[in-house]
Structures are given as C-alpha cells and as structure tokens.
Amino acid sequence: TSALTGSVGTDRTLWWKWTAPVDGVVTFTEVCDFLSVVGVYQGDTLTNLTLAAWGAPATDPIQVTGGQNYQVVVDGWQGQSGNIQLSAQLLPGPAHDNFTNRAVISGTRIVLTNSSAAALFDPSYPGDSGSDYNPAALRTLWWSWTAPISGYVTISSPSGQYIDVLTGAVITNLTEVANGAPDSFETAAGTNYVITATGFPGEVVLDLVLSTV
C-alpha cells in the first residue's frame, strides 16, 4: 500500500536522494502531466523510512540539517505515469539559531529585527519556551550580551516571541534570569547573558533597554 496515495499495488514511483548542503527549510515541488504526489522521507533504507512531508504539487516546508540525506519520491496516482520535473527550494537558516553560534550584541539600547523563517530549534535546549507546542513547529534565535554598566534591564519582543535570559557557558547548565516578554532584571557590569527568542517562523524583534534608574 502506498503511504502517500493509499493505493494497493498499482502506484508507480520515482526516487531521488538529496543531501542538504546547509541547515535550513526546504520545499520540494513537482510539475507533472499526470496525477501524483511528492513526498520526503528521512532514513537510508526502504524498510526504515520516516515520512517528513508530502503534498501536491509541493510538500510542506520542512526543517533540514546540513549533511543529512533525504529520500524524495514522486508517486503516480493509481498507476498513472508521465513526465516529471522536480525542484527543491532551500532557504538557509541563520547562523545564530543555536547556542554555539549565538550572535554577539552590545550596547545599552538595542532594537534589532531578524528572521526565524528558516531557523531551527536547538534540540539541546532544555527550556520549555513558555509553550506547549511541539518543538518541531518552533524556531529559536540566540544572542550573547554583556552588560557594559550596572543597572536595570527591560527586555521585550514586540513581534510576540517568548524571551529567555540566562547565564552560563554550557547549554545544559544554564541559569534562568528572566523569562517571558516583557520582563526586567537587575544586572552588574561585565555580566554575560544568553538571550533566546522562541516562537513560530517569521519576523523576530528584540528590544533591550539598560538604564541606571
């Protein structure tokens, strides 16, 4: 039975192996002159494949990891066949979508806008991100900020992301300082913070104000 069309013993399929060159989000699109669907699987053996996405004429966007293999199939409905044109649109992810590559920001007044459309959710992050959603649906951006002076910090995300402010040098041993948005906390000059913004794919706005009052 076809996992994509539900047909029994009548479908015709063509397969490709695609290796993601970088982390990001990819969509596969088919142009065919017959009824068909396109699917993407993870795994390297036919008996051990996991369906990641499917659709017609295009798959849903899926997160991919650089260097990992993906199996792509076009499945003709009830034995239909014909000409196939298959394309992949890959949107590379931002470098700072993980703890290791967090972007360094500085200053006492910071307003920045990034995109998390192709970001990943760092699976090593133990935080709950203030959400009951499946992490596979979420995206996270990471920053590193060192307080230049002592004072009081107010941090928010006008775009609606969930903000975590933490201290620590190891992702599995971070200490939470503030969470949610907006939030505020007292800081001492020279203290380094890890800042994360977690939410659904899209525009991410981070607003940070450090004052001495």
Side-chain angles (χ1 to χ4, degrees), residues 97-204:
D97 65 354
N98 60 79
F99 175 81
T100 301
N101 293 327
R102 54 196 184 278
V104 176
I105 56 178
S106 60
T108 59
R109 180 71 172 97
I110 301 170
V111 179
L112 57 83
T113 300
N114 291 170
S115 173
S116 66
L120 303 180
F121 182 86
D122 194 325
S124 302
Y125 182 41
D128 64 7
S129 306
S131 171
D132 294 328
Y133 291 106
N134 186 332
L138 302 175
R139 307 289 188 267
T140 303
L141 296 180
W142 297 75
W143 297 274
S144 175
W145 176 74
T146 300
I149 58 175
S150 298
Y152 299 89
V153 176
T154 300
I155 192 166
S156 63
S157 176
S159 54
Q161 269 68 29
Y162 186 89
I163 303 296
D164 271 332
V165 181
L166 315 109
T167 57
V170 181
I171 191 171
T172 54
N173 192 32
L174 297 173
T175 300
E176 188 174 79
V177 176
N179 64 77
D183 205 349
S184 59
F185 58 95
E186 187 174 357
T187 184
T191 304
N192 178 259
Y193 297 94
V194 176
I195 301 172
T196 71
T198 302
F200 292 110
E203 183 179 78
V204 178

Side-chain angles (χ1 to χ4, degrees), residues 46-131:
L46 186 60
T47 56
N48 193 33
L49 296 178
T50 301
L51 182 63
W54 69 280
T59 65
D60 292 327
I62 61 169
Q63 294 184 359
V64 294
T65 303
Q68 184 169 323
N69 293 329
Y70 298 84
Q71 316 303 326
V72 185
V73 60
V74 172
D75 191 342
W77 182 268
Q78 295 184 344
Q80 293 188 41
S81 61
N83 298 308
I84 301 170
Q85 180 179 342
L86 182 69
S87 62
Q89 182 180 17
L90 174 64
L91 184 61
H96 62 302
D97 65 354
N98 60 79
F99 175 81
T100 301
N101 293 327
R102 54 196 184 278
V104 176
I105 56 178
S106 60
T108 59
R109 180 71 172 97
I110 301 170
V111 179
L112 57 83
T113 300
N114 291 170
S115 173
S116 66
L120 303 180
F121 182 86
D122 194 325
S124 302
Y125 182 41
D128 64 7
S129 306
S131 171

